[in-house]
Amino acid sequence: MNRVDRAFHGQDGAGTLLIGYATAGFPDPETSARVAAALLEHCDLLELGLPFSDPVLDGPVIQESSRRALEAGFRISEVFDLAADLRVKTEKPLLLMTYYNPVHRVGESAFARMAATAGFDGLLVPDLPLEESGSLRAEAASHGIAAVLFASMTTPDERLGAIAEATRGFLYCFAVKGTTGLRASLAGDLAPFMARVRSRCRVPLALGLGISNPGQCREAGKLADAVVVGSALVKASMDALDGGGDPAEAAGELAASLRASLRNR
Amino acid sequence: MREKKAIPVEDKGMGAPPSDGRFGDFGGRFVPETLVAPLAELEEAYAEAAGDPAFRRELEHYLGHYAGRPTPLYEARRLSAELGGATIFLKREDLCHTGSHKINNTLGQCLLARRMGKRRVIAETGAGQHGVATATAAALMGLECEVFMGETDMARQELNVFRMELLGAGVVPVRTGSRTLKDAVNEALRDWVATSDHTHYCMGSVVGPHPFPTMVRDFQSVIGREARAQHLELTGRLPDCLVACVGGGSNSMGLFHPFLADGVRMVGVEAGGTGPEPGRHGSTLCLGSPGVLHGARSYLLQDDDGQILETHSISAGLDYPGVGPEHSFLKESGRAEYVNVGDSEALLAVELLCRSEGILPALESAHAVACAAKIAATMPRGSSMVVCLSGRGDKDVGTLMAARRTAR
């Protein structure tokens, strides 16, 4: 059984899982490794984002962290090195978040193999919808990696069913119509959306995009099996970095408070 | 005497059979899940509109009475004589309302947006021509309009920024990446992910996810349909060669498409910039490789990791690391050929056309003129060539003045 499946199966009503996020190579390989390790102390799963030059689904924070990682000379191999280093220390699931073009450039088969060898358990490609992802899903499956698909409030019912059938590990539900990033409040129609997804999908559901503080995390946690927090964690480390603090400590502290908000739902 | 070919004038309108958005291995719909349903809605609405005679009549009305179509197919006698080969015909898209071919597409898309009940349109722009054309059509249709434009482009095309504002549009400066067209597309897509329920994304070229490449091509095919009929009427036969510039590739695809079945030679001209090294040009088809950007699989300028490269061209409209997927298909199938022309050659072509014909072309179109001049000189007398003069050069006067000062 894949580590992602184990994480969700082992839930036993103990509470909602927390999925954290770090941009690989931001601001440099060593620091991003420390940030990732700090997040793993409190998160149940960790997404590592592969910086891309044109991140169309990302808001200002992850755009900025990606830009700075690339400016520092980030290469694809670094995300695999990072995962391999973390894998030695943890049995928690590691998920690779990347736009499709780097995968296409390296080759789907080679990319899936490299991800598996590095110790990744899941692969998320937000610009690769159901129809375009068949071959990559097959490659991922053959390497024991869960290819996670996405659902949006704009997704019609019938399509939701097809996506739920094709996704592996869990279904990533977008909490907002928009890009990643911090927002003042959660969307008002989140509960009916999640009810709609729940009634059509038997897979575990993660809710992410725009969830940035413990209050929002607690609210989202009532609707999903896992909550994803990305930009807020990156912002915490970025702010600490720019203010002369310790980015790993800052990200870890926020992750701890997010984790606490999900207990005893 | 010219040889006469008995080819009837086709008057095929829009509404080519619905495609699946694939051009061989190129095209597709590589977008976040949130945009899948809006794109499906757009595809359906476009197919329905294209099949509706009332929609086509309304578009034809605006193209004729508002945009000034048909544009002339003008025989450039002095230019042809100077080059001493093929007779060059200029398809005068520079005479369209707003000064370029872009209005053909924005009238179509804004009519469609209104029909779909959208109250707002957004657009990306490089040179500002598509932004101006979108702002114009939006004003005409009573739609709100916001145009995303890279800061670098806003500086070099400030006249167009002001024109858009006059037309009631908001111009949103884009400060990410190279601050040019590519980044403006990113920002427009980010806006659309959040606003698609009331906003139509008026894509400016034959790029992006399905159905944009097909729809924009259909709206721009009026260029080729007219040119084909006009050339037949003027000479009794088809041209031997077509030449047009390629940034995203909308004017070239519009010219080429109605000739695809004819066996006419087709040449697309990319921006050679200041050299073949990465970052110094916008020659996506000549120097790039297949990849996925802005929702479609097509040729791209990218590094070994699949990161998109910076580009350069003296013309903002060709300063783009991607290209329409149908062009990639025409390149791979060998049906069309693609070459590039550098900044300095384009500048010389501006002067050539000004002096020989009294026409100031846009810097984008000047790339086509420069290439056409080279090819025409090698073709026999009596042969003919159609060059798409996609826009006029008034917007580039500042760039031209600066270039001349530097040269002296």
Side-chain angles (χ1 to χ4, degrees):
Chain A
M1 194 187 255
N2 181 298
R3 288 189 193 91
V4 180
D5 295 325
R6 272 208 300 272
F8 283 97
H9 278 274
Q11 261 179 306
D12 295 334
T16 306
L17 303 180
L18 176 64
I19 306 180
Y21 171 95
T23 301
F26 167 73
D28 56 66
E30 296 71 34
T31 313
S32 84
R34 286 206 304 115
V35 170
L39 291 176
L40 276 166
E41 298 279 310
H42 308 286
C43 300
D44 304 290
L45 301 86
L46 183 65
E47 271 181 39
L48 296 174
L50 192 155
F52 181 53
S53 54
D54 294 81
V56 291
L57 191 66
D58 284 304
V61 173
I62 295 178
Q63 284 180 47
E64 176 68 6
S65 62
S66 302
R67 187 190 66 77
R68 286 165 71 169
L70 289 170
E71 219 159 68
F74 174 87
R75 297 297 311 263
I76 288 182
S77 58
E78 287 171 31
V79 82
F80 298 126
D81 294 343
L82 174 57
D85 287 350
L86 295 170
R87 183 44 76 219
V88 176
K89 303 172 202 151
T90 184
E91 272 304 303
K92 289 181 177 176
L94 298 175
L95 312 170
L96 175 52
M97 167 76 91
T98 177
Y99 287 87
Y100 182 56
N101 197 51
V103 182
H104 182 275
R105 184 66 170 165
V106 170
E108 292 182 344
S109 178
F111 194 93
R113 181 170 37 77
M114 284 153 73
T117 306
F120 277 113
D121 308 291
L123 179 61
L124 295 84
V125 188
D127 58 347
L128 202 64
L130 178 68
E131 294 77 4
E132 306 285 3
S133 61
S135 55
L136 183 59
R137 280 186 275 125
E139 288 292 347
S142 77
H143 288 93
I145 289 183
V148 178
L149 295 180
F150 301 84
S152 164
M153 290 177 201
T154 61
T155 309
D157 288 347
E158 211 172 283
R159 187 177 161 77
L160 264 183
I163 291 173
E165 207 153 288
T167 193
R168 292 293 175 269
F170 60 95
L171 179 64
Y172 190 129
C173 304
F174 290 145
V176 292
K177 277 185 273 184
T179 54
T180 61
L182 286 65
R183 283 169 178 78
S185 59
L186 297 181
D189 44 1
L190 209 48
F193 167 56
M194 291 306 284
R196 185 164 74 88
V197 179
R198 188 72 80 183
S199 72
R200 279 163 190 84
C201 307
R202 279 155 205 247
V203 289
L205 305 182
L207 191 52
L209 240 62
I211 300 168
S212 50
N213 60 43
Q216 292 172 345
C217 200
R218 183 182 298 114
E219 286 306 301
K222 292 175 189 162
L223 304 170
D225 306 302
V227 176
V228 191
V229 178
S231 294
L233 292 169
V234 175
K235 187 170 186 305
S237 61
M238 196 181 286
D239 288 348
L241 195 71
D242 296 344
D246 180 359
E249 199 182 300
E253 265 171 29
L254 176 57
S257 66
L258 294 167
R259 174 69 268 178
S261 77
L262 290 174
R263 294 230 164 79
N264 316 314
R265 60 171 171 169
Chain B
M1 284 302 289
R2 291 189 173 110
E3 183 194 349
K4 284 206 170 192
K5 285 186 195 166
I7 293 172
V9 178
E10 245 182 317
D11 192 19
K12 205 171 65 177
M14 302 172 305
S19 86
D20 60 354
R22 303 272 170 189
F23 307 94
D25 281 341
F26 301 103
R29 193 176 275 171
F30 295 83
V31 293
E33 177 62 24
T34 308
L35 286 181
V36 172
L39 286 164
E41 178 200 0
L42 177 61
E43 179 182 7
E44 200 173 306
Y46 171 61
E48 192 209 22
D52 178 357
F55 178 81
R56 291 158 69 154
R57 265 199 307 278
E58 194 173 13
L59 178 57
E60 273 162 31
H61 168 81
Y62 283 115
L63 288 174
H65 295 269
Y66 184 75
R69 304 206 70 88
T71 57
L73 185 71
Y74 165 73
E75 183 182 340
R77 288 195 184 151
R78 280 173 45 83
L79 175 66
S80 305
E82 191 169 329
L83 298 168
T87 302
I88 296 176
F89 290 87
L90 301 175
K91 182 58 176 164
R92 298 291 308 274
E93 294 301 299
D94 60 316
L95 295 177
C96 286
H97 179 45
T98 71
S100 84
H101 70 292
K102 294 293 187 188
I103 193 79
N104 304 330
N105 172 45
T106 60
L107 283 172
Q109 287 201 47
C110 286
L111 271 173
L112 184 61
R114 198 174 64 180
R115 183 184 171 103
M116 291 172 76
K118 308 287 181 186
R119 61 173 165 78
R120 174 175 176 261
V121 290
I122 54 172
E124 83 294 340
T125 198
Q129 293 301 93
H130 174 59
V132 167
T134 305
T136 298
L140 179 68
M141 311 286 171
L143 300 166
E144 289 168 42
C145 178
E146 271 190 296
V147 180
F148 295 88
M149 190 170 188
E151 253 190 354
T152 305
D153 290 337
M154 287 179 74
R156 59 179 163 176
Q157 304 285 350
E158 61 178 343
L159 282 178
N160 274 342
V161 174
F162 184 63
R163 283 171 79 193
M164 286 182 264
E165 287 168 354
L166 270 180
L167 290 159
V171 181
V172 184
V174 177
R175 299 193 175 92
T176 52
S178 56
R179 306 175 184 212
T180 59
L181 181 54
K182 167 190 79 122
D183 312 288
V185 176
N186 290 340
E187 213 49 45
L189 282 169
R190 289 184 188 115
D191 182 289
W192 203 38
V193 171
T195 61
S196 62
D197 55 338
H198 60 75
T199 293
H200 171 68
Y201 182 6
C202 186
M203 185 74 82
S205 192
V206 289
V207 301
H210 180 59
F212 286 112
T214 306
M215 179 172 70
V216 177
R217 175 200 74 200
D218 289 351
F219 287 137
Q220 290 295 1
S221 290
V222 67
I223 301 172
R225 285 199 307 276
E226 284 180 10
R228 196 175 181 283
Q230 290 165 322
H231 194 279
L232 276 170
E233 196 181 317
L234 287 169
T235 70
R237 63 185 197 91
L238 291 175
D240 300 290
C241 183
L242 309 174
V243 180
C245 66
V246 181
S250 71
N251 87 85
S252 44
M253 192 51 65
L255 176 65
F256 292 175
H257 199 258
F259 291 91
L260 277 181
D262 291 328
V264 175
R265 182 182 177 195
M266 300 171 169
V267 184
V269 188
E270 298 191 311
T274 55
E277 297 81 13
R280 298 182 64 175
H281 60 85
S283 302
T284 309
L285 289 162
C286 295
L287 298 169
S289 54
V292 172
L293 176 69
H294 296 155
R297 186 173 187 275
S298 191
Y299 270 69
L300 284 186
L301 293 171
Q302 58 185 330
D303 69 12
D304 292 341
D305 278 0
Q307 307 289 353
I308 310 305
L309 294 171
E310 307 269 291
T311 52
H312 163 81
S313 170
I314 193 166
S315 79
L318 304 184
D319 202 347
Y320 182 63
V323 69
E326 195 167 8
H327 280 296
S328 293
F329 173 67
L330 293 179
K331 175 195 162 80
E332 295 238 319
S333 70
R335 179 63 191 87
E337 54 196 287
Y338 295 89
V339 298
N340 65 18
V341 154
D343 288 355
S344 51
E345 288 176 280
L347 287 166
L348 287 174
V350 170
E351 297 192 8
L352 174 67
L353 197 63
C354 280
R355 279 188 289 96
S356 62
E357 298 288 348
I359 296 171
L360 170 60
L363 275 168
E364 290 76 14
S365 321
H367 285 72
V369 173
C371 172
K374 282 192 275 192
I375 295 176
T378 68
M379 291 168 66
R381 278 179 195 282
S383 59
S384 85
M385 169 189 279
V386 172
V387 180
C388 190
L389 206 66
S390 54
R392 67 177 184 228
D394 305 49
K395 70 181 174 60
D396 295 318
V397 167
T399 306
L400 295 170
M401 282 168 69
R404 181 170 282 199
R405 270 199 298 271
T406 311
R408 276 185 183 157

